[in-house]
Amino acid sequence: MIIAIDGPAASGKGTISKGIANHYNLPHLDTGLLYRAVGYAMLDKEKNEDFEQVALDFALSLDKSNLDPNILGSLEVANAAAKVAKIEKVRLALRDYQTAFAKQQGGAILDGRDIGTKICPNADVKLFITAKPQVRARRRSLQLLAKGGDVSESDILSQIIARDESDRANKAGNFYKADDAHLLDTSKLDIEAALREAITIVDEVMATKSE
Ligand code: C5P
């Protein structure tokens, strides 16, 4: 079974994907980490004239199986990821790894922005997870506060809106809900309820397939 999960930042898709992976015992790939790793490598190369080529070389040589979410988790890295994610050749360089991960025996779950549209258009189940920007900003600020960070929720909201806009304007990406994806709006759900809802959708889709 291949499960494709897409959605914007702080929609809950990461936590829900991990929960689904756990529930069905499937390997999980957070594809945002691939773009974050390239963005991280390019942080001090913003002014390089050959920015795109250096980003591509890095994407090609990246050890994609060994990415550390703790190093790559910051907002600065997320913004750098959104920048390199606009380079078509970088997307292509990261593509084979993602499709091979999806096709492994027994199936897999991948989350990102273009999984249902581009990476796994034939996934068995597709979910598009979203939530209102204000709710996403609240969640992100609580996460950062829990880690001891000094945060302003309104700054986080502006950053979330800015990244949404940057991602929407990404001509190299396919950041929209696939027609056959199931929409899950988590604005009014806590994480347990959202995960239950996601698992119900997966079970229902798989039941109709086996009829
Ligand atoms: O999901 P996450 O916040 O880690 O993604 C960081 C950035 O990487 C996104 O804002 C997006 O620009 C890019 N990305 C992408 N395609 C994916 C996953 C992430 O372009 N499949």
Side-chain angles (χ1 to χ4, degrees):
M1 167 166 74
I2 298 177
I3 304 179
I5 311 250
D6 289 302
S11 57
K13 70 177 190 311
T15 314
I16 292 172
S17 299
K18 282 188 201 116
I20 296 179
N22 214 16
H23 183 81
Y24 296 101
N25 202 15
L26 287 171
H28 166 229
L29 178 64
D30 170 358
T31 65
L33 286 180
L34 298 169
Y35 292 92
R36 283 172 180 262
V38 181
Y40 180 74
M42 298 305 292
L43 278 177
D44 58 352
K45 302 180 182 65
E46 296 272 308
K47 296 204 170 78
N48 273 28
E49 268 177 33
D50 53 354
F51 183 89
E52 294 202 355
Q53 185 58 46
V54 177
L56 172 61
D57 292 343
F58 189 79
L60 289 167
S61 63
L62 177 68
D63 178 359
K64 300 168 183 72
S65 62
N66 189 19
L67 304 172
D68 185 347
N70 294 319
I71 296 175
L72 302 173
S74 74
L75 194 72
E76 187 191 24
V77 175
N79 290 332
K83 185 170 178 191
V84 298
K86 293 192 169 139
I87 307 169
E88 182 78 55
K89 284 182 182 165
V90 166
R91 302 198 73 80
L92 277 175
L94 299 176
R95 197 171 165 173
D96 286 353
Y97 179 77
Q98 297 175 72
T99 42
F101 190 94
K103 285 185 180 149
Q104 64 189 289
Q105 209 181 357
I109 170 164
L110 289 82
D111 78 85
R113 298 290 192 293
D114 60 348
I115 308 302
T117 52
K118 198 88 181 174
I119 302 295
C120 303
N122 299 319
D124 296 290
V125 189
K126 298 181 187 177
L127 289 175
F128 190 88
I129 298 180
T130 189
K132 291 192 174 68
Q134 290 77 4
V135 175
R136 294 191 274 135
R138 163 61 52 89
R139 284 180 190 154
R140 192 42 55 91
S141 54
L142 289 175
Q143 281 167 358
L144 294 171
L145 269 178
K147 286 185 187 160
D150 178 18
V151 295
S152 143
E153 198 172 313
S154 64
D155 283 355
I156 293 180
L157 178 59
S158 314
Q159 287 157 355
I160 279 183
I161 291 172
R163 187 141 63 97
D164 282 357
E165 278 168 9
S166 166
D167 279 345
R168 257 196 301 271
N170 185 345
K171 292 198 178 68
N174 290 65
F175 298 166
Y176 50 85
K177 176 186 161 302
D179 287 342
D180 53 351
H182 297 260
L183 182 68
L184 176 55
D185 186 334
T186 65
S187 300
K188 293 188 178 148
L189 302 174
D190 63 21
I191 195 61
E192 288 80 17
L195 178 57
R196 274 198 304 276
E197 182 75 29
I199 288 171
T200 302
I201 295 172
V202 174
D203 283 346
E204 283 175 2
V205 173
M206 293 313 285
T208 58
K209 279 183 184 275
S210 62
E211 273 169 9

